Amino acid sequence: EDKVVQSPLSLVVHEGDTVTLNCSYEVTNFRSLLWYKQEKKAPTFLFMLTSSGIEKKSGRLSSILDKKELFSILNITATQTGDSAVYLCAPTSGTYKYIFGTGTRLKVLA
Amino acid sequence: GAVVSQHPSWVICKSGTSVKIECRSLDFQATTMFWYRQFPKQSLMLMATSNEGSKATYEQGVEKDKFLINHASLTLSTLTVTSAHPEDSSFYICSARFSGSIHKRSYNEQFFGPGTRLTVL
């Protein structure tokens, strides 16, 4: 059975802190892993990772995948209150089936 | 990027009635769309994969007779919750898979609609 575990479940930090969110997975026919940010509505896309060891960056956010150890991390540096959201990772199984983790709820305090 | 819309944004209905939710890809054609359900403080659970011109593929535990999916065109999929009950109250999100380029940027991923909040009284 496919399994995705995100940790921590919830995190409260102060503005300016750096956070690391973890995603471990066991998925048949793994193809890629995606990270999403969900505020009040539908998730918004952050990253798609397909290769091990290659860091993807977008501003203060970065992410990397380890296909041997079956995990990915999402880093956010110099956090801001606008980063408060639920962060979801979704490894893909087969061609396009996304399997979402439970998410990490991040709250950034001013 | 590619835009997906959903209608309605929220709906309140009485127990026993049926509710139809539409999912449209606005600026691209999608042969494959997906329907997810999300309960409060939980993650997105895939309900079914909707394929244009053919029957939907349902995930284990999802009743196909209760959640009717129709993907009649390359830009529209509908989810009908039949004989809705309070336990069907949830946030329903669709996504559409897009593989191609828009404004010289390449995509190969699902784009999500804004979601529909269903409350069944």
Side-chain angles (χ1 to χ4, degrees):
Chain A
E1 186 183 326
D2 296 329
K3 192 174 166 185
V4 183
V5 177
Q6 287 188 247
S7 63
L9 290 179
S10 187
L11 191 56
V12 179
V13 299
H14 286 97
E15 272 194 317
D17 288 350
T18 293
V19 297
T20 298
L21 309 182
N22 304 290
C23 173
S24 65
Y25 63 90
E26 290 176 34
V27 167
T28 53
N29 300 319
F30 174 83
R31 295 286 289 264
S32 60
L33 186 142
L34 296 94
W35 282 96
Y36 285 87
K37 178 183 181 183
Q38 185 177 27
E39 294 172 270
K40 292 195 174 169
K41 289 196 171 179
T44 52
F45 173 80
L46 295 175
F47 297 108
M48 176 188 276
L49 305 161
T50 53
S51 302
S52 265
I54 298 175
E55 186 183 53
K56 288 211 170 180
K57 281 181 75 76
S58 177
R60 296 176 293 102
L61 277 67
S62 64
S63 185
I64 198 161
L65 174 68
D66 185 329
K67 289 204 282 190
K68 185 179 174 190
E69 300 297 329
L70 307 182
F71 79 88
S72 174
I73 60 172
L74 174 69
N75 276 316
I76 308 174
T77 58
T79 51
Q80 302 171 357
T81 54
D83 295 327
S84 297
V86 176
Y87 290 84
L88 299 165
C89 79
T92 64
S93 172
T95 308
Y96 7 90
K97 183 175 174 180
Y98 289 17
I99 302 162
F100 281 90
T102 48
T104 293
R105 188 173 297 274
L106 172 66
K107 187 168 177 65
V108 182
L109 303 174
Chain B
V3 180
V4 176
S5 71
Q6 273 184 250
H7 176 82
S9 299
W10 57 271
V11 57
I12 301 173
C13 68
K14 287 185 178 178
S15 190
T17 59
S18 293
V19 174
K20 182 188 277 189
I21 303 169
E22 293 185 349
C23 176
R24 292 181 187 273
S25 55
L26 298 186
D27 48 5
F28 65 99
Q29 293 183 329
T31 53
T32 306
M33 292 183 171
F34 303 86
W35 287 96
Y36 295 85
R37 181 165 54 183
Q38 186 176 34
F39 292 107
K41 298 196 177 179
Q42 293 188 26
S43 193
L44 281 76
M45 297 299 296
L46 179 65
M47 298 174 68
T49 303
S50 170
N51 301 298
E52 187 268 336
S54 65
K55 289 184 181 179
T57 304
Y58 290 80
E59 294 299 300
Q60 197 170 17
V62 178
E63 298 174 60
K64 59 179 74 173
D65 294 330
K66 181 167 182 63
F67 298 99
L68 301 178
I69 291 172
N70 186 290
H71 194 152
S73 78
L74 287 171
T75 58
L76 173 65
S77 174
T78 59
L79 168 69
T80 301
V81 183
T82 61
S83 187
H85 289 285
E87 57 265 30
D88 299 322
S89 299
S90 187
F91 191 51
Y92 291 87
I93 305 176
C94 74
S95 70
R97 181 174 175 268
F98 176 63
S99 181
S101 294
I102 297 177
H103 303 305
K104 297 183 182 177
R105 186 180 161 185
S106 295
Y107 298 91
N108 184 17
E109 64 207 64
Q110 293 179 28
F111 290 88
F112 287 84
T116 297
R117 188 160 301 284
L118 169 65
T119 301
V120 185
L121 302 177

